[in-house]
Amino acid sequence: MQYEAVIGLEIHAQLLTESKIFCGCSTKFGSGPNTQTCPVCIGMPGVLPVMNRKAVEYVIRTGLAVNCGISPLSRFARKNYFYPDLPKGYQISQYELPLCEQGFVDITVNGETRRIGLTRIHLEEDAGKNIHEGTGNQSFVDLNRAGTPLMEIVSEPDIRSPQEAAEFVKKLRTIVRYIGVCDGNMEQGSLRCDANVSVRPVGQKELGTKTEIKNMNSFRFIEKALDYEIRRQMKVFNEGGRIVQETRLWDPNRGVTESMRSKEEAHDYRYFPDPDLMPIEVDNAWIEQIKSQLVELPDARRQRFISQYALPDHDAELLTAERVTADWFEQAVKSGGEPKAVSNWMMGELMRLLNEENKQIDECGFRPEQLAGLLKLVDNGTISGKIAKTVFEEMYKTGKDAEAIVKEKGLVQMSDETGIEAIVDEVLKNSPQEVERFRAGDAKLMGFFVGQIMKLTKGKANPKIVNELLRKKLLG
Ligand code: ADP
Ligand code: ZN
Ligand code: MG
């Protein structure tokens, strides 16, 4: 029997608001435990929540960016369950009436583009954090995160492979970062993902029983956990067994998913509309205003990079993966850099140097205008392409302009023919055997002669002139 995997994802993204969703406490990450709390977010009796308008705006912005319809009226509901990190005993979430419904994103895997439907995006509050590690026999609760605004993006079960799942999360991460609603930091948990997965015989329409996997905080883990879980489910089927609907936990150390608890049903949560909060009304004027402020999205920008700058698809994809990178590129081009040359330097040398120091492009020590300045020196023959590499590294280290570096270090290209000719003559005179072998047909030796000349001129001889002279002298 041939089986196929069916996957639907639920992504939780912490919104980049400065304050929490129902109180004025800060949402900053990394402060001392319980220093960012108040009676509202620690669930004292008698307090009332007040909606953070920015959080609603961010969810609408996201909805618009992923082709969702925005509900004119949506409502908060209480999701009741007991857990020590949830002081009120219920989470304020949205149930029947979410803010956004029915959108989609397109993903491309192995050259094939597929559209993944989005069921809904809703707004809810985050819980606190239980701390069990390094605390001896006790457990602690940090409520700094309690009440941080979260949006939950729920996909349709349209995903068919672990690779597609990872690509889907990557795509959403790129989008939320572009539009500035979430920092996408998976390690710190600002972007988290639960995966629902089932398998079914190829050709069968009905969905199989699913399991839900939690605790995957990187793209690699998403792929690995799903891969493991799909194999596990197929094995169960092949052995004549049945899948139990349950929540499973990914253990990255052992590379397996393990049963955590049987899956709760919606009715277990006793959802009901929150009587303390007004329904959210969103009128068209507000939607239009948010739409008008929406930045150019990654897919559109990538297409524009291909058409406007004649970049290969590969370059366009890499350069538009982050908004800061795309901005940097466009700034360099605007300052006169030839697009493909700028792209090559960015994807090659610049990325290499940044990666070495684990830096992002906005931490680069020089400005895009300065890269354009370097390219100009290569274009007008002041320095050779080889020397440009040296200048580039120096520019990266010191932040100085290419022109200043070239002057300071005396790196101007040697283009005067007489000067170069003298050196060519010297090299040929000192290598009589090589000259003989070259003339006997060993064409590879050309590289040897060029190398010798470059060594003597410290790389400054104009390679075009060197080659011309060598050819003339060796071949007559
Ligand atoms: P639940 O009631 O368990 O929360 P939902 O129907 O709300 O389930 O779906 C939650 C997520 O699980 C969605 O992303 C959805 O696409 C996905 N999903 C639902 N049924 C299946 C299934 N049989 N196999 C894989 N994914 C599924
Ligand atoms: Zn608070
Ligand atoms: Mg559900």
Side-chain angles (χ1 to χ4, degrees), residues 99-159:
L99 254 171
C100 309
E101 289 184 280
Q102 297 203 328
F104 63 84
V105 292
D106 291 332
I107 59 167
T108 303
V109 172
N110 299 330
E112 196 202 342
T113 299
R114 292 200 52 229
R115 180 156 291 184
I116 308 298
L118 300 176
T119 318
R120 57 189 272 154
I121 308 178
H122 71 242
L123 184 55
E124 61 187 27
E125 59 178 340
D126 209 346
K129 213 173 180 162
N130 293 334
I131 299 160
H132 310 293
E133 260 152 54
T135 55
N137 273 333
Q138 313 166 67
S139 286
F140 292 98
V141 186
D142 179 2
L143 294 176
N144 281 352
R145 206 180 64 185
T148 295
L150 274 188
M151 73 179 160
E152 179 173 333
I153 305 171
V154 182
S155 90
E156 290 288 309
D158 289 347
I159 298 164

Side-chain angles (χ1 to χ4, degrees), residues 452-466:
Q452 292 293 307
I453 293 157
M454 285 303 176
K455 208 161 134 194
L456 286 173
T457 58
K458 299 202 172 63
K460 285 187 284 184
N462 182 325
K464 199 163 149 255
I465 299 177
V466 169

Side-chain angles (χ1 to χ4, degrees), residues 400-448:
K400 288 183 190 163
D401 284 348
E403 208 166 345
I405 295 167
V406 167
K407 249 189 218 138
E408 222 170 81
K409 306 218 162 215
L411 295 172
V412 175
Q413 176 160 267
M414 257 176 91
S415 290
D416 99 273
E417 206 157 313
T418 341
I420 297 177
E421 188 168 13
I423 294 162
V424 171
D425 285 342
E426 188 188 331
V427 165
L428 295 183
K429 199 178 101 210
N430 292 337
S431 325
Q433 283 177 347
E434 282 81 1
V435 171
E436 209 167 292
R437 272 166 48 209
F438 181 87
R439 288 193 172 128
D442 191 350
K444 283 200 304 288
L445 279 164
M446 193 65 173
F448 165 81

Side-chain angles (χ1 to χ4, degrees), residues 20 23-25 36-38 40-41:
K20 293 189 181 178
C23 62
C25 292
Q36 290 164 186
T37 56
C38 75
V40 173
C41 57

Side-chain angles (χ1 to χ4, degrees), residues 227-333:
D227 193 56
Y228 175 88
E229 181 60 16
I230 291 164
R231 282 170 206 273
R232 186 191 71 84
Q233 291 190 11
M234 287 183 180
K235 187 155 171 279
V236 170
F237 275 127
N238 282 327
E239 288 167 356
R242 300 185 59 178
I243 300 300
V244 192
Q245 171 146 328
E246 63 184 354
T247 302
R248 299 177 69 89
L249 201 64
W250 164 245
D251 180 344
N253 295 319
R254 292 171 44 229
V256 300
T257 64
E258 277 183 313
S259 178
M260 186 167 114
R261 57 171 188 249
S262 67
K263 167 78 186 171
E264 48 292 290
E265 303 280 341
H267 62 249
D268 293 329
Y269 288 118
R270 299 295 189 270
Y271 279 102
F272 65 90
D274 193 308
D276 288 344
L277 286 154
M278 301 284 286
I280 306 172
E281 286 179 46
V282 180
D283 59 16
N284 274 332
W286 197 17
I287 296 176
E288 286 309 316
Q289 187 210 337
I290 297 171
K291 206 182 267 173
S292 71
Q293 292 164 349
L294 206 57
V295 299
E296 187 182 21
L297 295 168
D299 278 350
R301 200 160 190 189
R302 174 172 161 186
Q303 285 312 318
R304 182 168 64 77
F305 273 29
I306 294 171
S307 55
Q308 183 176 345
Y309 303 119
L311 289 178
D313 191 35
H314 173 75
D315 296 43
E317 177 168 2
L318 280 175
L319 292 173
T320 56
E322 295 283 346
R323 202 168 101 196
V324 278
T325 311
D327 288 346
W328 210 97
F329 169 82
E330 291 212 276
Q331 191 55 42
V333 171

Side-chain angles (χ1 to χ4, degrees), residues 19 54 66 70 76 79 103 149-150 168 182-183 186 191 204 295 298 305 342 348 369 419 429 441 465:
S19 56
K54 203 82 197 174
V66 295
I70 312 299
F76 285 104
K79 180 180 181 181
L150 274 188
F168 174 78
C182 171
D183 67 19
M186 297 180 80
L191 191 88
Q204 177 182 306
V295 299
F305 273 29
V342 171
E369 293 83 345
K429 199 178 101 210
I465 299 177

